[in-house]
Each structure stands twice: as C-alpha cells, then as structure tokens.
Amino acid sequence: MRSKLQKFGLIGIGMVAGVLVSLNFSANAGKETVSGLPVEELRSFADVYNAIKQGYVEPVDDKKLITHAISGMLSNLDPHSAYLDADAFKDLQVNTQGEFGGLGIEVGMEDGFVKVVAPIEDTPAWRAGVKSGDLIVKLDETPVRGMTLNDAVKRMRGKPKTPITLTIIRKGESKPLVITIERDKIKVQSVKSKLLEPGFGYVRVTQFQEETVSDLVKHLDKLYKDPENKGEELRGLVLDLRNDPGGLLHSAVGVSAAFLPAKTLVTSTDGRTEDAKRKYIAAPEDYLRGYKQDMLKDLPAGTRNVPLVVLVNSGSASASEIVAGALQDHKRAVVMGTQTFGKGSVQTVLPLSNNSAIKLTTARYYTPNGRSIQAKGIVPDVVVEETANGEAHNPLMREADLDRHLENDKDKSAPAKTTDKSKTPAKSGKDKGGAKDEGDETTQFKPIEFASKSDYQLKQAMNLLKAWQIIRKP
C-alpha cells in the first residue's frame, strides 16, 4: 500500500484566483504522533493567545485565532505552503477537473501583495491583459496588504458576470494600472492543436489536468488524420508549454510518456522522509491514476519518433518543467524559448479533520539526469526571445523572485533574484501632458496570441523543424 504522501501524486505552483492548486494529495493526516514538542515555544504561544483573548480591543473568536496561527505558520515556510480552509480545499478538489469560477490567474503572495505567476489562457484575466509578474495591490477599493492569500483569492472569486477591479503594479510602467475584469465560469481547455502546414503539427498544453493525456492522444490522432496532411506521417511537431503553470504530476508523466520509450525515467522526487523519495517512469502505473485502460495505446505510431520542438518561457512551471526537462535530458526534443519559472518543489495536501487541509512542501523534484529545477528552471537548448528585437511581453518573474523560496540543492549558482520588484506604487499626480490622476482610467491590454502569424518563437520552431528535414535527407 502506498504511503500517504504518494497516494495521489499531484504537483503544482500556487493558487489560482478562482481557484486552482495542483498538488500532492494525502489520504490522511494525523495518524503519526508528534514527539519532542517545544514546550517553551508553545508556552510563549499560549501567552500571546491569552493576551489577545484578554486585552485585544475587540473580542476575537477562538477559531479565527487558531486558523490565523496555522496559516501564518505555513505561509512563512515558503511561497507554496499554505492553510486551506474548507472552501479552498473543496475548490481545490473540484478545480483539478479543469472547471472553476473566477478570473483565471495563477497567483502567489509576495511582501503582502498578490503576485501573478501566469494568467490561464482564454480566461477573463488573460483577455484583460493581466501578465506574469504583475503585483495586485488593490481589489476594488480594498488594499491587498494585510490579507492572506486565501482571503485575496476569495475576493477575486464570485458569480459569473460580476465585475472586479484590480489595481496592478507592473515593471516598466510609471504608474499603477487599473483593470476591470468580469468574472466568469472558467472551463480550461487543457489541450489545443492545429496543423501549421502539411506535415507539421502544433499541440499546446495549457494546463495539466485529469483529462490531459487522453486529450493529447485525441489531438495527435486528429493531426495525423487531418485531410490537409493527405494521410502522411507528421514530419515535425511543436509542443507548446509556454505560460503553462503546471498541474497534475501524473498528467506530466503521461504527456512525457507519449514521446518517450516505455519505462523511461521521467522525473524523481526527494525529501526528508522515505515517502518523498520516488521515481516516476513512462509506464501506465505512473500516469493512469484511476483510468482502467491505457489511453496511450491509441497514440499514433509516429508520435514517439517525430522531430519535436518544445516551446517554453518564464510562465512554464512545475509539471511543464517536468515534461521539458525529461524530453531535454533524453535528447528527445529541442527545447526552445526562454528560461522557465523554476518551480521544482512538491507540495502535499494533508486533509484535516474539520474538512480543511494544509498544503505542505515535502520534496524537490529532479530531471532524469538529476538536475534540480528549483529556483533555476529549464534553460532552453535554443534561446529565442518573444520578439525578433528581443523584447518580452511578460516580465521575467520566476520562482527565484519569490520570498522564502527553497534554494536549489544541486546548483548553488542558481540566481537569487531575476527581476526588479517595483513594489511601491508611483506617486499620484498629473504628468506634463495633463493626464488624469493614476487609476482614473481602466486600461486594457492585448494578450499574446500563441500560434498566430505574429508568434515569433513558433516561427523559429518551424524553421528548426524544416532545417531538421533538410539535414535528415539522405
């Protein structure tokens, strides 16, 4: 019987405003007894608790005090450990199925502000132009500083068609941006595909969910059977993982297995307990997770040999990095784009007796060659910026920018910081041209369109695949 830290095997980044957390689920918490309790520190805790109960200006509920104590204890460990109340835990369980209500952004907490890890494609936040690296400092008229991440996420949730206004600080902008977004029911389409031209296919994974592997097989089958392809084998394929914030570990293993030989090592995890030490291979036992039949049995025959380019960027995180790292280490694909997010830690969800749970970082994960991605990410084989002139639409926000992030235990040269923070709002006032005060206007931004004619990185991937064809000719 598998241990409690392995039972579900999910992995992820943070929280989604609306809300998605992809993690490791445990069947039970609390069976093991705790030994060696720090008596003096617990006495100090009791003294503070008593002082608040007796002397705080207003009465404070016991449950609220304990909940906040638990939340603070976890949130101060690292950016990904957190307390999930009953509502957040319920949302978590629903959201791994790929449907939830809200804005559609993957977020974390930094210095009291909500920091955007990545907007989820085709969601209200994505369409409104919210970007990776944005700092959300105000929700409607309420400052974010002082809120817990759970509180902020709850405020961003809401009934479909109801608006919320985000005040955002963005690197490179001289004043805060005010963006009004209409909430909606989010149904994330995990896999998308198109035939770029005869012989060359494109598959995009937006998030790793329960149905991702089976959806991938369907899309690949559709590409191979596309009438424009005239029944020929694909001569090249682009796997797009840009801005994919991660998701379920077994789905990442399954996607990797679609392109790798059977029984190939995909990733491994290592932590302090034996439960956290595990290897995941390209085999049904590590990616089925509830499916009775192997969905990869219907995979088109050429998939494991087709020339492959994997596109990544700073918004590619967690499960995306597992796939990119596995395909890179086994030299199955050329990884192209910009350095990934660097989310190389495993979180385990431990349910509590009151229908709540804790999300606890329990391990780091590694590529097949033993590289730790934590706070470093996957460095592409071919570095290609978003535009021909080297400009990036997204700020380079990565794991290393998050306060209290875990260090990379394999590579001490991993950067401590990769971006400027720009945490303080610019002063209010008018510019020389007599513009309105900051926040007077609602600003909308055009999001990047992946797989469009203006997608520079995809064009370079296609150039590489076509050059590959020329080199391979006898």
Side-chain angles (χ1 to χ4, degrees):
M1 181 176 180
R2 288 188 177 174
S3 61
K4 63 181 182 180
L5 296 186
Q6 299 174 352
K7 189 154 188 180
F8 290 85
L10 315 178
I11 201 168
I13 304 175
M15 303 190 72
V16 168
V19 71
L20 168 72
V21 187
S22 311
L23 312 146
N24 219 350
F25 280 74
S26 170
N28 198 317
K31 284 187 176 180
E32 299 177 8
T33 58
V34 179
S35 60
L37 289 173
V39 177
E40 289 301 318
E41 285 76 9
L42 288 174
R43 184 174 289 116
S44 296
F45 174 83
D47 289 343
V48 172
Y49 185 88
N50 188 55
I52 294 172
K53 291 294 292 183
Q54 291 187 8
Y56 187 66
V57 64
E58 295 178 349
V60 185
D61 180 73
D62 288 336
K63 181 179 179 180
K64 182 177 181 180
L65 278 178
I66 295 297
T67 297
H68 285 187
I70 295 172
S71 179
M73 183 163 50
L74 287 159
S75 63
N76 280 284
L77 294 174
D78 66 81
H80 309 298
S81 295
Y83 173 74
L84 306 175
D85 62 20
D87 289 337
F89 185 34
K90 182 178 179 181
D91 283 338
L92 165 63
Q93 295 168 305
V94 171
N95 295 338
T96 55
Q97 307 302 317
E99 183 171 331
F100 49 91
L103 304 180
I105 48 176
E106 188 91 18
V107 296
M109 207 77 179
E110 180 170 306
D111 291 345
F113 298 130
V114 172
K115 194 162 192 175
V116 178
V117 173
I120 298 172
E121 194 170 333
D122 290 336
T123 63
W126 184 85
R127 289 189 289 270
V130 176
K131 296 184 177 182
S132 172
D134 285 349
L135 280 175
I136 301 173
V137 298
K138 190 184 290 186
L139 299 172
D140 288 327
E141 297 302 317
T142 305
V144 169
R145 185 178 287 278
M147 294 184 191
T148 65
L149 185 57
N150 279 343
D151 289 340
V153 168
K154 284 180 180 178
R155 285 180 177 268
M156 285 186 276
R157 296 189 204 125
K159 293 181 179 180
K161 308 304 178 184
T162 60
I164 183 170
T165 299
L166 310 183
T167 302
I168 287 172
I169 296 174
R170 178 175 295 165
K171 182 183 177 182
E173 297 289 341
S174 62
K175 59 184 182 180
L177 307 173
V178 180
I179 303 176
T180 298
I181 306 175
E182 189 176 83
R183 298 178 180 92
D184 201 355
K185 190 170 185 179
I186 310 299
K187 176 66 175 178
V188 178
Q189 185 179 347
S190 177
V191 181
K192 303 177 180 181
S193 67
K194 64 188 293 187
L195 194 67
L196 298 171
E197 58 182 75
F200 295 91
Y202 170 88
V203 175
R204 172 161 173 73
V205 179
T206 62
Q207 221 170 341
F208 289 84
Q209 301 169 354
E210 292 287 358
E211 304 293 330
T212 297
V213 180
S214 59
D215 287 346
L216 175 67
V217 173
K218 293 174 186 175
H219 279 267
L220 287 170
D221 186 60
K222 180 181 176 182
L223 285 174
Y224 274 87
K225 293 179 180 177
D226 192 303
E228 290 188 29
N229 213 35
K230 299 177 181 179
E232 297 181 6
E233 291 287 307
L234 288 179
R235 290 178 285 137
L237 181 68
V238 177
L239 175 62
D240 192 351
L241 301 178
R242 290 173 296 176
N243 281 11
D244 183 332
L248 309 183
L249 174 57
H250 65 270
S251 290
V253 174
V255 170
S256 301
F259 301 102
L260 293 171
K263 304 295 182 181
T264 302
L265 178 64
V266 174
T267 188
S268 61
T269 61
D270 190 24
R272 292 174 59 202
T273 68
E274 289 302 315
D275 297 336
K277 304 177 191 297
R278 173 84 193 277
K279 291 183 177 181
Y280 295 86
I281 63 174
E285 56 266 28
D286 281 342
Y287 61 75
L288 286 186
R289 300 297 184 189
Y291 283 87
K292 295 181 179 180
Q293 294 183 339
D294 184 2
M295 64 283 282
L296 293 184
K297 68 179 178 60
D298 297 323
L299 195 69
T303 303
R304 288 191 170 91
N305 299 310
V306 63
L308 182 65
V309 173
V310 178
L311 288 177
V312 297
N313 64 6
S314 63
S316 306
S318 191
S320 299
E321 294 171 296
I322 289 176
V323 175
L327 298 178
Q328 185 181 57
D329 277 8
H330 290 299
K331 302 188 185 304
R332 174 61 186 88
V334 173
V335 177
M336 178 182 284
T338 56
Q339 190 170 342
T340 62
F341 184 81
K343 168 63 170 62
S345 62
V346 180
Q347 282 69 50
T348 299
V349 173
L350 301 168
L352 304 177
S353 58
N354 61 350
N355 295 322
S356 63
I358 63 171
K359 178 179 57 147
L360 186 66
T361 299
T362 55
R364 291 178 175 88
Y365 70 76
Y366 304 87
T367 70
N369 287 349
R371 294 180 293 156
S372 173
I373 301 167
Q374 176 59 25
K376 182 176 181 179
I378 296 293
V379 178
D381 300 306
V382 181
V383 175
V384 177
E385 298 293 342
E386 292 180 4
T387 60
N389 59 12
E391 292 181 354
H393 293 107
N394 284 334
L396 298 177
M397 198 281 288
R398 298 189 176 95
E399 173 82 5
D401 298 312
L402 302 179
D403 290 340
R404 299 181 304 279
H405 67 267
L406 291 180
E407 298 298 329
N408 188 302
D409 61 326
K410 298 287 187 179
D411 185 357
K412 301 304 179 184
S413 66
K417 294 287 176 185
T418 60
T419 66
D420 296 326
K421 295 214 172 176
S422 305
K423 295 185 184 88
T424 307
K427 292 181 180 180
S428 178
K430 296 183 178 181
D431 61 22
K432 292 181 180 180
K436 293 182 179 180
D437 285 346
E438 297 161 5
D440 284 355
E441 295 186 83
T442 297
T443 309
Q444 299 290 330
F445 299 90
K446 185 179 180 180
I448 302 169
E449 285 190 52
F450 294 129
S452 67
K453 292 182 179 179
S454 61
D455 190 339
Y456 178 72
Q457 290 173 323
L458 179 58
K459 287 180 182 178
Q460 300 314 304
M462 280 291 290
N463 288 339
L464 179 59
L465 288 172
K466 289 179 178 180
W468 203 333
Q469 298 302 308
I470 296 173
I471 295 171
R472 293 176 68 192
K473 283 184 177 180

